[in-house]
Amino acid sequence: GTPGILTWQQGIDITMTDCHPNNSVGIQSTVEDGVPDIRLQSSVDTGDYCTVATTAHGATTITTVDDDAAAAHFAVVADGNVDIDGLVVTLDAATSIALENDTTVTGDFTVNGDTVTFESANADDPALLLINTTNDNQAARFRIQKARTDTALNNDRVAEMDFVGENDAGTSKQYGKLMVQALEVDDGDERGKMRLQVAEFDGTLTDGLVLDGQTADGEIDVTIGAGAASTTTIAGTLTMGSTAAMTNAGLLSVAN
């Protein structure tokens, strides 16, 4: 080639002009189903290759093979967007699917699997951040919803948050739970119950704070502590209604 000009080596060079977009192709391959239409073999190891196979309905499978290990990675290096019309993507890797760089999802993101796990070996991580940047008086929300397929029942658990750690034997133990129940589900008489539980003595989860919605409008009953030996400490003044009733020294604040 011309000095200083990059010359590409070419195995096949096809040039077509004046083609009709609906009935012209550069290469036509019709192969019996079950046999790859195209096989791309590594020049380093003949046991490493990639195949492309098309069958009925235009279903196409790209298969990568590494005969010595499991390193036949499939990468798409795009100098631009990767667009898939009518996006329905199934990622079925042999082990796991890794997003090696920071990934941003600009649309709504729905996961239909049973478990979503965030794991990190760094201190104070992983962190789940909900950030609202709108210039108004509203905030970000963390919403847990129970949506039964049949009629809801009294005392249904609406949401639970479990707090799990380990003991000094390395055994997994639950040290706390936050639970919300639908105490009453009658239409127009819905009442909730919130329970804050902690492990006590032998690891048993016990209610330490309970909030019960009542039948009277604007009324919520609160239970603090568990058992007659439990101690409830109030740092400041105990106020009954709008009247200071007892000081933090344990003295009554009113003559009555």
Side-chain angles (χ1 to χ4, degrees):
T2 305
I5 302 298
L6 178 63
T7 301
W8 293 93
Q9 291 182 318
Q10 299 170 340
I12 298 176
D13 183 358
I14 298 174
T15 301
M16 298 178 60
T17 59
D18 300 327
C19 301
H20 193 283
N22 296 327
N23 58 10
S24 301
V25 295
I27 297 177
Q28 173 72 38
S29 174
T30 303
V31 181
E32 180 181 357
D33 282 353
V35 178
D37 293 76
I38 300 174
R39 187 177 191 272
L40 307 175
Q41 181 174 294
S42 169
S43 62
V44 177
D45 186 340
T46 58
D48 299 339
Y49 59 89
C50 165
T51 62
V52 180
T54 301
T55 183
H57 309 296
T60 301
T61 301
I62 301 176
T63 304
T64 60
V65 176
D66 180 355
D67 65 336
D68 298 318
H73 308 306
F74 180 74
V76 177
V77 181
D79 187 10
N81 295 332
V82 177
D83 297 324
I84 303 177
D85 293 335
L87 181 62
V88 178
V89 179
T90 300
L91 300 178
D92 186 10
T95 53
S96 62
I97 297 169
L99 301 177
E100 297 180 352
N101 297 316
D102 292 345
T103 302
T104 300
V105 179
T106 56
D108 292 345
F109 184 59
T110 301
V111 177
N112 291 324
D114 293 333
T115 303
V116 177
T117 301
F118 300 90
E119 182 175 334
S120 173
N122 300 325
D124 297 324
D125 287 325
L128 179 62
L129 307 179
L130 304 178
I131 302 173
N132 184 302
T133 59
T134 305
N135 293 319
D136 60 17
N137 63 352
Q138 304 301 305
R141 295 174 296 159
F142 183 76
R143 178 171 177 169
I144 304 176
Q145 181 175 348
K146 171 71 173 180
R148 291 176 59 129
T149 56
D150 54 8
T151 304
L153 299 176
N154 290 345
N155 296 313
D156 275 355
R157 296 188 181 189
V158 176
E160 298 181 44
M161 293 182 65
D162 295 333
F163 303 90
V164 180
E166 293 182 347
N167 61 15
D168 59 5
T171 305
S172 178
K173 292 292 182 179
Q174 184 169 342
Y175 288 93
K177 175 187 281 288
L178 176 61
M179 182 193 306
V180 176
Q181 294 174 264
L183 190 63
E184 175 60 62
V185 298
D186 285 349
D187 188 13
D189 188 30
E190 299 86 356
R191 288 181 284 126
K193 181 175 185 177
M194 180 177 290
R195 303 163 61 187
L196 181 61
Q197 301 177 323
V198 294
E200 42 84 9
F201 181 61
D202 56 358
T204 301
L205 289 176
T206 302
D207 291 342
L209 176 64
V210 180
L211 289 80
D212 282 297
Q214 298 301 304
T215 55
D217 188 24
E219 180 182 338
I220 296 176
D221 287 355
V222 180
T223 302
I224 302 176
S230 296
T231 300
T232 301
T233 301
I234 299 176
T237 300
L238 175 64
T239 299
M240 309 296 291
S242 60
T243 303
M246 182 173 290
T247 70
N248 59 6
L251 303 176
L252 292 177
S253 300
V254 291
N256 292 340

